Amino acid sequence: MTSKGVDYYKQAAARALQWHAESIRKMKQCRFDTIAVHGVYSMQEALDFNQGSIIEPIYMSTSQTYRDSDEMEAALGYQIPTWCYARIANPSIYYMEGVLALLEAYGTDVDASCIATASGMAAIQCAVDQFLVEDPRRPNSPMNFVATCQVYGGTFQQFAIRKEQERNIQWRRIIDSTDMGEWESQIDENTRFLYGEMPSNPSQAFFDVKKIVDLAHKYGIPAIFDSTVATPALLRPLAYGADIVVQSVTKSLFTSGFGIAGAVIARKGITTNIDNPEMKADFCAYLKQMPNRDNGPNISPMNAILALNDIRTIRHRMDIASRSTMKVARFLKQHKHIEGVDYLGLEEHHLHPLAKQYMFLVDAEYDEQYGAPQNRYGHLMSFRVNGGPANTRKVFDAMQRIWRATDLGRIKSVATIPAISTHSQQGEEGRKLASIPPNLVRLCVGLEHPDDIIADLDQALSVLDGNKVTVTFPEFSAGGASSARIG
Ligand SMILES: *Cc1c(COP(=O)(O)O)cnc(C)c1O
């Protein structure tokens, strides 16, 4: 047998990439829902590679085989696309990455790419750590990054402990993220990126995305946003010039709650003061082929397809859940036992006017029912109960339809008390910075009928009038108890 040569495979791959690019180009002309449903999985892809399967197959395989040594050499040298090893690339994972890249760039001419990770926290780490490296042009100079304080509890810990405490990288904390002067005053030549979460979990902080992007670019550094709470159905930071978006896919995108997943989505050609041309050109491809290959924080193909399956309906879900949340927020707002409600959708919220400029249900103008742009604010809200933490616990414990869990974005309504759960580790001082009082309940409204959620809240709040709520549960349920007994 004569050798075909590496070039033969390069040319064959180039032809395949061409029809694939063409099919993606056509998909980009479709509306958001069509992209969410079809993503990068075309009929050609099904017929050429997947036995005609109409749904994206779950490839649990760790690796692929090669026709000969030439193909292997081309693949492992990253000269042709390859599913060489699932820590680096896998078709099922790619189907999920492809759809997220298209959705985050929807309605723009931004060319974006995506890398999926095992969790939202891994996505944040992948997104920021590439900038927290020694700069050979300025060896041993102190590094810092500027980021909002009102962030998810895990993010707070990653920044405060893993970066600052363990690696001596300064987190310059933004207290009031709407204060552009505060942001600018924190930036110097050793600042590596700007980072913000909006709307923030749970305190609903919001800032002017476009202004933060412009500020970052003025200093030649990237703007990175955690856009988990909004999802691409309500806000797409790349459209405002953002360099990198991170998603805890676990939440609204992966609403069924079957697994943990994260994603980094970046525009090609990011702004950075790090001298790394490959990273600049295609941040996610670089991550995939280099750092993540070596660090291994990738998602499982099973979780990728389960997430992908939920992502298809994200626009409809965010619409209904946002409308239900508005109804629930209005109910709570007028309730005598409620001290306050934080929901960006409420006109009284001090950040409502700003959020109103950014948060829209994608494609509402093409929707039969609406025919015009519609503001939607998502399904994360919080409320504060009168009478402090003890009363808050009483009401929380009386919920019967809303599940008590440190989770959000679920198809079921879920509530938590952040001070004793998601945000307990950062301590009182940290919670103060992140605006999390002890009587705050975070509520994420699901897709039940909102009247039933309101009825549950109403009966739960009635315990403060002396009503007794009698619910009996089995004594204990966590599996650790049985393993402890065995051990
Ligand atoms: C949950 C969450 C994360 C972390 O995501 P995991 O998938 O749980 O690792 C990050 N950011 C926000 C806003 C979140 O809500």
Side-chain angles (χ1 to χ4, degrees), residues 148-162:
T148 52
C149 279
Q150 291 171 313
V151 288
Y152 173 69
T155 311
F156 196 99
Q157 293 300 102
Q158 188 181 115
F159 288 175
I161 312 287
R162 306 307 145 203

Side-chain angles (χ1 to χ4, degrees), residues 119-121 124 152 155 197 201 226 228 248 250-251 260-261 408:
S119 68
M121 291 320 305
I124 294 168
Y152 173 69
T155 311
E197 182 180 312
N201 166 9
D226 182 337
T228 300
S248 168
T250 317
K251 308 295 167 51
I260 303 287
L408 63 95

Side-chain angles (χ1 to χ4, degrees), residues 375-388:
N375 281 115
R376 290 287 181 273
Y377 302 94
H379 51 148
L380 178 68
M381 60 166 292
S382 52
F383 59 90
R384 284 162 280 124
V385 178
N386 276 329

Side-chain angles (χ1 to χ4, degrees), residues 256-373:
S256 58
F258 281 142
I260 303 287
V264 179
I265 303 98
R267 65 172 58 242
K268 294 185 185 163
I270 58 163
T271 300
T272 168
N273 54 9
I274 306 287
D275 185 22
N276 183 338
E278 283 172 325
M279 178 174 90
K280 247 184 221 181
D282 188 341
F283 186 75
C284 293
Y286 166 76
L287 262 179
K288 191 179 265 300
Q289 294 174 359
M290 305 293 173
N292 282 21
R293 174 196 65 187
D294 304 336
N295 293 325
N298 68 315
I299 192 172
S300 125
M302 182 70 154
N303 280 7
I305 294 293
L306 290 175
L308 172 80
N309 206 41
D310 284 355
I311 290 168
R312 301 188 214 275
T313 53
I314 185 67
R315 193 185 81 92
H316 302 278
R317 288 189 285 104
M318 290 309 280
D319 182 21
I320 298 168
S322 299
R323 283 160 43 199
S324 296
T325 308
M326 188 68 107
K327 196 168 179 189
V328 172
R330 289 210 172 105
F331 162 77
L332 287 171
K333 186 82 199 173
Q334 51 74 44
H335 200 286
K336 63 179 181 196
H337 293 313
I338 297 296
E339 181 189 293
V341 178
D342 291 315
Y343 184 53
L344 286 170
L346 291 175
E347 277 172 15
E348 311 86 271
H349 194 290
H350 70 290
L351 295 170
H352 175 77
L354 186 58
K356 199 176 154 102
Q357 290 172 34
Y358 281 104
M359 296 193 70
F360 292 93
L361 175 68
V362 64
D363 282 353
E365 56 274 40
Y366 306 116
D367 196 304
E368 189 85 24
Q369 197 182 350
Y370 303 126

